[in-house]
């Protein structure tokens, strides 16, 4: 289930497995909506995992921790970015500060896949949008954060961005089954085949335009 929040229309996700065990991915804000979604499914939150640490993806994390006691996992490459969330937020908007999570588990030190209740989550390092960006593979669903969006790759001009690393990460994702459904941090879902087909068409158009 996708929940879109905030002025940047960020996608957070609630994934419910067998027995009602649940995972929340990238809760950007409006924690009450995530809690309502969990309650309506009689689900127990076993973990909060973020694909990266930009401020628009973490706004509801601490509220969910307070309400459920669930652990919060984030790749250590983005821990510094997490701590500076309100500094970066101030550069984009002047609204109230985010409650930056005080306790974070380094995803990189966890098993892969990581077990959260009955849910098995494979994490794939995909730096480029940020240094600690990951994609999360749960069965036939790939949660891509801002590494891969429906209309193209994520930005690399924000804190933590690196275009060369992002290109390498996209090569990694090209090696996954093309039928995987990709759920991005912004915009609509797409399959990997559709995403890379769109990129190929764009590259062909750019090449043709040079002649």
């Amino acid at each position: 289930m996708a929940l879109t929040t905030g002025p940047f229309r960020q996608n957070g996700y609630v994934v419910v497995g067998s027995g009602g065990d649940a995972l929340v991915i990238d809760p950007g804000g409006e924690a009450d909506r995530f809690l309502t979604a969990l309650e309506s499914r009689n689900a127990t939150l076993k973990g909060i995992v973020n694909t990266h640490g930009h401020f628009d993806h973490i706004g509801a994390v601490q509220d969910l921790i307070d309400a459920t006691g669930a652990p919060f996992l984030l790749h250590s490459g983005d821990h510094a970015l997490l701590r500076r969330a309100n500094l970066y937020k101030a550069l984009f908007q002047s609204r109230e500060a985010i409650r930056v999570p005080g306790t974070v588990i380094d995803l990189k030190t966890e098993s892969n896949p990581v077990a959260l209740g009955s849910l098995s989550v494979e994490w794939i390092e995909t730096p480029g949008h940020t240094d600690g960006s990951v994609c999360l593979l749960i069965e036939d669903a790939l949660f891509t954060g801002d590494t891969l969006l429906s209309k193209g790759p994520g930005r690399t001009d924000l804190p933590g961005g690196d275009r060369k690393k992002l290109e390498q990460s996209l090569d990694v994702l090209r090696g996954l089954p093309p039928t995987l459904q990709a759920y991005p941090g912004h915009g609509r879902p797409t399959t990997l085949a559709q995403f890379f087909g769109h990129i190929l068409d764009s590259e062909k158009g750019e090449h043709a335009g040079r002649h």
Side-chain angles (χ1 to χ4, degrees), residues 17-200:
S18 61
D21 290 343
L23 165 69
V24 166
I25 298 170
D26 289 351
E30 301 179 50
D32 57 325
R33 292 180 61 198
F34 288 89
L35 293 170
T36 297
L38 291 165
E39 183 178 1
S40 69
R41 289 160 177 77
N42 294 315
T44 301
L45 186 59
K46 296 295 184 178
I48 305 159
V49 184
N50 264 52
T51 60
H52 65 293
H54 277 154
F55 70 86
D56 57 322
H57 291 252
I58 65 164
V61 171
Q62 188 60 53
D63 288 340
L64 291 176
I65 293 172
D66 291 347
T68 68
F72 171 52
L73 294 85
L74 175 72
H75 190 289
S76 56
D78 275 10
H79 285 192
L81 195 62
L82 178 73
R83 292 192 294 271
R84 299 189 186 105
N86 282 309
L87 172 62
Y88 295 131
K89 186 175 187 295
L91 298 176
F92 286 88
Q93 51 185 208
S94 58
R95 298 179 183 177
E96 62 185 37
I98 293 170
R99 297 181 66 210
V100 177
T103 302
V104 54
I105 297 171
D106 181 5
L107 185 61
K108 197 171 182 179
T109 66
E110 297 297 296
S111 61
N112 195 5
V114 60
L116 296 170
S118 62
L119 292 167
S120 180
V121 183
E122 181 179 349
W123 49 274
I124 304 166
E125 291 182 294
T126 53
H129 179 67
T130 67
D131 193 50
S133 284
V134 299
C135 292
L136 304 172
L137 180 61
I138 305 174
E139 297 182 352
D140 59 353
L142 184 70
F143 298 88
T144 60
D146 289 1
T147 295
L148 183 157
L149 305 175
S150 58
K151 296 183 179 180
R155 295 172 62 174
T156 57
D157 60 340
L158 299 172
D162 186 307
R163 183 174 180 177
K164 184 175 181 180
K165 287 183 179 179
L166 182 59
E167 290 173 352
Q168 293 170 342
S169 293
L170 293 178
D171 285 340
V172 171
L173 297 182
R174 281 189 178 94
L176 297 177
T179 54
L180 280 178
Q181 191 79 5
Y183 296 91
H186 304 267
R188 296 180 178 180
T190 182
T191 64
L192 289 184
Q194 290 170 333
F195 173 81
F196 287 115
H198 174 76
I199 294 300
L200 183 61

